Amino acid sequence: MRQFFERYQMPAIGLVSALLITALVMLSAQVPPLSVYGVLLTGSFSTPTRFADMLMLAAPLLLCAVGLTSSFAAGQYNLGIEGQMTIGGVAAMAVLRWYVDAPFVAFWWLGALVAGAVMGGIWALLVAALKHYTRVSEIFAGLGLNFVALGVSLYLVFGPWKRPGVASMSGTEPLPEALWLTTIAGTRLAWLTPLVAIAVCVVVWWLLRRTHWGLQVRASGLSPLASERFQVPATRRMFEAMWLAGASAGLAGALQILGLYHALVPNVASGIGLMGLLVALIARADIRWVAPIALMFATLTAGSIQLPLALAVDSSISGVLQGVLVLAMIVSRAMTRQRGRA
Amino acid sequence: MNESQLLTDMAAIIAMSAPLLLATMGVLIGERAGVINLSVDGSMLLAGMTGFAVALTSGSVVLGFVAAALVGAIVATLVAYLGISMRLSQTAVGFVLALLCTDLSSFLGNPYVQQQGPAVPAWDVPVLAEIPVIGPLLFQHDVVIYTSMMVVLVLAWVLRATRVGLLVRGVGERPDALFARGIDVVRMRYVAVIVGGVLIGLAGAAYTLDLKQGWTYRHIAGTGWIALAIVIFGAWQPARIALGCYLFAVLQVMSSRMQANTWEIPTQVLQVAPFVVMIVVLAIVNSMGTPWMQRFLAHAPARVRRILTRISQPAPAALGQPFEQQ
């Protein structure tokens, strides 16, 4: 009991102070905090449609965040996650464009998902290669490649894959309806999307926590030099862990195309990757926390979409709350650690 | 393209680079003292929004800049406190603050979107503005642009030739040695990061009150990350960083020029061209110290080797590491 108290005391204080700080921000903009929190927390559960939309946000977010636990374990700040997700979407679309009316639509789904994962992973390998061979920090390599990925998808949407007639930001010609992932009764919930996300979550957890490979990744993340000395191929493990992160994000991009957009839109990732980084930063050491935190962040974001209509409040307050929360959690973790040392 | 067009373009490039110069110099001061302020992107947005809002409500551009500087300083203080005093990962803290400040700027800046506001008036430098070519190029802008150029010169001089500059470089390279000689490393780093934050804040206001004249959601998002990259490209040397800022502006002007011509490439694609160049340049500059490049250099002609090795300069040795008192 005492141990439980000591372990969760600081995070609890962090959570409360994050809520208080964000409330202060709201008050400074003359917005009533309690009603805003009400909409943020319950908005996603008010109707089945909204709940479905929340899950469709939570799934790609979970995929990105869980992939990032792999690159974090290898000691890399993979800021290129947005680009990896975008390229995953592009690759999926490249496959789906070849669609001919065939009896097994599931093969096309599988092909798109595999293509998305592979290409997302390759995009992450670019970051790893820039880091290892040219010593460009993965932060800047990743960010730069995000813009390049955006350029690629823009080029395709406005160039070779543009709609007959006029090209627009709304994306390419929609896919034939036979290719759309099947949804549950009247909502946008494509059941395959969250299912894949959960499956990947379990696989990554198992790889990182229960295999020799995962142990080596974590060791090389803590100290590449020391692990090389213990015969761990640290560089190789770094590349593999980055690939896994990119593949997971690429899968998210492919699922967005198949299940949500049904076309290639210019910005497939639209900030989900960066939000995944926030989720991974809170959970960091423990993959089991990734899913609940991703669910919470998706709830807040999906809830915030109703703020402008319900209370005439800008929806970016959910981003403020998420940012403050992550900072509070990082700080509280450090304080718990310091207290443990004393 | 005729000569007067070229001159106008070059003057525009110099004007465009002003906020980037301020931001990169702000980043540079902190990094030379060993602290990475990764929050620049959000910090600039929040400061720019605040500066615009204050200038709009008070009617005073000067007050706007003061407010922006203050916001930059506050965010920098947070980075310093969490990164130096609490010894959290500077990367994590900076990244989260970058996102947080971006969202804060959108939320708090909501009432000010696309409002007409005050702006910095143009002001030719007397006498100097009359000089042919150099006058229109350098001296027919406004105070913000002159200030940004002065900041580069002053910072280059301070870092190179003064005791304060020596101390700043010292806490970034060998904090233990300075501590042993009785220098308060932690305080020195705080001061450097906060002064840098002031410049970053001013850079945000330079956009909203001068270059872009107004505020919309995330309108300068991405610039802060570019500033961080240019500092690496410039190998932590003020003059080279300034050169990097001008090169980046040249690329931007060129890409908008190419859009004007009827090219086959969709316009949106050209906007990402500077980022591709940024990655390639960073890769070349950074790979100088790697074994494969060393092998290549061993076979290269002596002159090529000299030029290439001069391009590459190592980062401040203690960059990003918290200072542990022995």
Side-chain angles (χ1 to χ4, degrees):
Chain A
M1 186 61 208
R2 177 139 174 258
Q3 208 179 5
F4 177 87
F5 185 71
E6 268 171 15
R7 186 161 174 206
Y8 290 105
Q9 181 190 15
M10 281 299 169
I13 294 174
L15 181 69
V16 172
S17 33
L19 289 172
L20 285 177
I21 291 169
T22 316
L24 280 180
V25 171
M26 291 186 224
L27 284 175
S28 75
Q30 279 145 359
V31 164
L34 284 180
S35 23
V36 172
Y37 277 136
V39 174
L40 282 179
L41 291 173
T42 60
S44 305
F45 304 100
S46 49
T47 65
T49 318
R50 285 170 182 163
F51 184 67
D53 286 351
M54 187 275 282
L55 284 183
M56 286 305 281
L57 173 65
L61 179 62
L62 178 57
L63 278 168
C64 287
V66 85
L68 284 164
T69 55
S70 158
S71 47
F72 267 128
Q76 305 298 313
Y77 273 86
N78 181 15
L79 253 61
I81 191 90
E82 289 266 317
Q84 289 144 26
M85 187 169 164
T86 302
I87 288 298
V90 168
M93 193 65 191
V95 169
L96 296 173
R97 281 174 58 81
W98 295 94
Y99 174 74
V100 283
D101 207 1
F104 299 109
V105 77
F107 281 128
W108 290 98
W109 291 351
L110 191 67
L113 293 182
V114 169
V118 169
M119 283 310 293
I122 289 177
W123 207 250
L125 287 184
L126 279 180
V127 176
L130 279 166
K131 165 92 180 217
H132 184 252
Y133 294 113
T134 68
R135 295 188 187 171
V136 176
S137 147
E138 76 275 16
I139 294 171
F140 297 110
L143 275 168
L145 284 169
N146 287 349
F147 286 104
V148 177
L150 198 59
V152 168
S153 83
L154 277 167
Y155 171 69
L156 292 169
V157 169
F158 285 88
W161 294 357
K162 72 165 176 251
R163 276 182 182 206
V166 63
S168 80
M169 284 302 273
S170 63
T172 58
E173 188 76 4
L175 294 167
E177 272 192 53
L179 274 176
W180 300 9
L181 290 185
T182 34
T183 55
I184 290 174
T187 66
R188 274 189 288 203
L189 180 61
W191 51 267
L192 192 66
T193 304
L195 226 58
V196 171
I198 291 167
V200 169
C201 208
V202 173
V203 169
V204 173
W205 172 81
W206 178 77
L207 278 173
L208 282 177
R209 285 280 146 187
R210 287 287 177 272
T211 66
H212 192 57
W213 179 86
L215 186 68
Q216 290 189 331
V217 167
R218 284 181 285 144
S220 60
L222 286 175
S223 168
L225 282 179
S227 42
E228 291 274 12
R229 215 153 276 166
F230 285 96
Q231 312 297 320
V232 175
T235 308
R236 212 196 141 96
R237 293 292 172 266
M238 188 272 274
F239 273 81
E240 289 164 351
M242 282 294 282
W243 186 86
L244 189 59
S248 190
L251 206 55
L255 283 166
Q256 293 291 84
I257 300 290
L258 273 175
L260 193 68
Y261 296 124
H262 307 132
L264 181 64
V265 295
N267 195 355
V268 181
S270 62
I272 292 178
L274 292 180
M275 203 194 287
L277 265 160
L278 292 182
V279 173
L281 273 174
I282 295 191
R284 196 148 180 186
D286 201 337
I287 300 182
R288 285 167 303 176
W289 280 100
V290 171
I293 294 167
L295 212 58
M296 183 176 86
F297 273 42
T299 305
L300 292 174
T301 306
S304 77
I305 294 170
Q306 294 167 48
L307 280 177
L309 272 179
L311 299 167
V313 171
D314 194 272
S315 62
S316 46
I317 191 67
S318 66
V320 175
L321 176 59
Q322 288 162 354
V324 176
L325 254 176
V326 179
L327 269 189
M329 285 304 147
I330 300 178
V331 170
S332 73
R333 192 179 301 148
M335 288 172 89
T336 314
R337 216 170 24 212
Q338 270 168 10
R339 192 172 277 193
R341 226 182 276 158
Chain B
M1 195 186 291
N2 55 33
E3 266 172 53
S4 70
Q5 179 65 49
L6 186 67
L7 198 62
T8 322
D9 271 2
M10 284 173 67
I13 285 164
I14 284 178
M16 273 169 76
S17 316
L20 213 47
L21 282 180
L22 288 170
T24 47
M25 292 305 134
V27 173
L28 173 69
I29 299 175
E31 294 197 355
R32 282 309 276 270
V35 185
I36 308 173
N37 182 353
L38 215 58
S39 73
V40 197
D41 201 53
S43 190
M44 267 167 76
L45 275 168
L46 188 59
M49 186 281 293
T50 314
F52 181 73
V54 167
L56 185 68
T57 35
S58 69
S60 157
V61 175
V62 177
L63 268 184
F65 273 95
V66 171
L70 207 64
V71 169
I74 291 171
V75 179
T77 311
L78 255 176
V79 171
Y81 178 71
L82 297 173
I84 302 171
S85 301
M86 290 211 60
R87 294 177 197 175
L88 300 176
S89 152
Q90 290 170 16
T91 316
V93 166
F95 170 74
V96 177
L97 276 173
L99 292 196
L100 173 58
C101 292
T102 304
D103 277 318
L104 259 181
S105 77
S106 296
F107 179 71
L108 296 173
N110 186 26
Y112 306 101
V113 170
Q114 290 188 337
Q115 296 243 16
Q116 285 284 341
V120 180
W123 182 72
D124 293 2
V125 180
V127 187
L128 292 175
E130 307 301 322
I131 308 171
V133 185
I134 297 175
L137 198 62
L138 294 177
F139 301 114
Q140 295 183 10
H141 296 288
D142 60 48
V143 178
V144 173
I145 290 159
Y146 306 137
T147 310
S148 69
M149 293 191 259
M150 290 302 291
V151 165
V152 178
L153 294 177
V154 169
L155 187 60
W157 172 73
V158 167
L159 281 177
R160 186 185 285 253
T162 66
R163 187 182 136 80
V164 176
L166 189 69
L167 289 179
V168 168
R169 283 185 287 147
V171 294
E173 296 286 349
R174 298 192 55 198
D176 318 350
L178 262 78
F179 180 71
R181 304 185 74 186
I183 305 292
D184 189 340
V185 173
V186 168
R187 200 179 71 181
M188 202 68 211
R189 285 186 167 172
Y190 260 91
V191 172
V193 175
I194 293 171
V195 170
V198 167
L199 287 180
I200 291 165
L202 291 176
Y207 276 114
T208 53
L209 291 173
D210 191 8
L211 217 72
K212 306 251 174 185
Q213 302 200 352
W215 167 253
T216 48
Y217 293 116
R218 302 170 183 231
H219 65 163
I220 47 168
T223 339
W225 300 108
I226 294 163
L228 283 160
I230 291 178
V231 172
I232 304 177
F233 162 76
W236 295 273
Q237 312 291 324
R240 277 178 56 179
I241 294 170
L243 184 71
C245 293
Y246 290 126
L247 282 179
F248 188 79
V250 168
L251 277 175
Q252 279 183 312
V253 168
M254 270 169 56
S255 74
S256 67
R257 266 290 131 72
M258 280 194 242
Q259 285 172 29
N261 298 338
T262 45
W263 271 43
E264 284 295 306
I265 308 169
T267 53
Q268 289 82 356
V269 178
L270 285 168
Q271 286 160 9
V272 304
F275 296 96
V276 180
V277 177
M278 181 191 96
I279 298 177
V280 173
V281 171
L282 277 187
I284 295 172
V285 170
N286 279 289
S287 57
M288 287 308 147
T290 57
W292 64 268
M293 194 47 125
Q294 294 292 331
R295 276 199 299 279
F296 168 76
L297 286 177
H299 298 292
R303 185 176 293 168
V304 175
R305 200 181 319 157
R306 247 202 322 275
I307 293 170
L308 284 179
T309 39
R310 197 174 295 163
I311 289 178
S312 136
Q313 298 248 338
L319 186 59
Q321 288 156 15
F323 175 63
E324 304 275 351
Q325 250 173 46
Q326 303 300 318

